[in-house]
Amino acid sequence: MTFTVRIQVRNADLDTNGHVRGPKYLEYADQARWECVQAAGVRLDALAAAHLGPVNLETTIRFEREIRGGEIKVVTEFEYHGKTGRVHQELCADGTRLAAVHSVTGLLDLRTRRLVPDAERIGAFATEPGLLGL
């Protein structure tokens, strides 16, 4: 299942050439990912009480078109492979893909500082696990 959020590009997000600065792409992707996790009903205090925390292990961005302003749509989709999960995100406007962001994530045991063996375990903390690809 995918999750979609709309984000308004602010003037402060633009560089002197009038397009969105590179680090903002990551911020948009992070914002959309967290909104998805919250919409799925995962409470960070519940994860913390279980001594667990989500971690980002790797992120890549493929820039395809300039983002020059207005509103963008970020589509987020999760999948899991043992200890890690993959988050695939597309930043779009007017039906055109502007960028793709791919992240490798995991669920960290905060006591042992190791990834839990099953990243899908986050689903146990969700009221809407389908939004997390579960």
Side-chain angles (χ1 to χ4, degrees):
M1 175 181 285
T2 62
F3 177 82
T4 302
V5 64
R6 295 186 180 283
I7 298 174
Q8 185 65 42
V9 175
R10 300 173 309 145
N11 286 338
D13 298 346
L14 304 176
D15 66 13
T16 57
N17 295 321
H19 60 259
V20 170
R21 296 178 285 119
K24 283 298 191 179
Y25 286 73
L26 282 177
E27 286 185 35
Y28 298 153
D30 283 346
Q31 176 183 338
R33 188 171 59 246
W34 280 111
E35 286 191 32
C36 180
V37 168
Q38 288 177 330
V42 176
R43 294 184 16 243
L44 294 182
D45 61 337
L47 282 173
H51 305 286
L52 298 171
V55 293
N56 191 11
L57 304 168
E58 175 183 312
T59 300
T60 59
I61 305 171
R62 179 176 175 84
F63 300 97
E64 298 183 15
R65 302 255 192 291
E66 292 178 314
I67 301 175
R68 299 183 68 66
E71 183 180 79
I72 63 165
K73 179 174 72 169
V74 182
V75 179
T76 302
E77 186 171 16
F78 288 80
E79 65 180 67
Y80 302 90
H81 305 279
K83 288 184 179 184
T84 61
R86 305 280 189 280
V87 185
H88 305 288
Q89 295 177 286
E90 290 188 359
L91 286 67
C92 305
D94 299 324
T96 301
R97 187 162 97 166
L98 306 169
V101 179
H102 299 283
S103 301
V104 178
T105 64
L107 196 56
L108 187 68
D109 181 318
L110 297 173
R111 291 175 289 203
T112 65
R113 309 307 285 183
R114 302 274 185 237
L115 293 177
V116 299
D118 184 6
E120 289 182 357
R121 184 169 171 197
I122 196 167
F125 295 87
T127 56
E128 297 288 334
L131 290 176
L132 301 176
L134 299 168

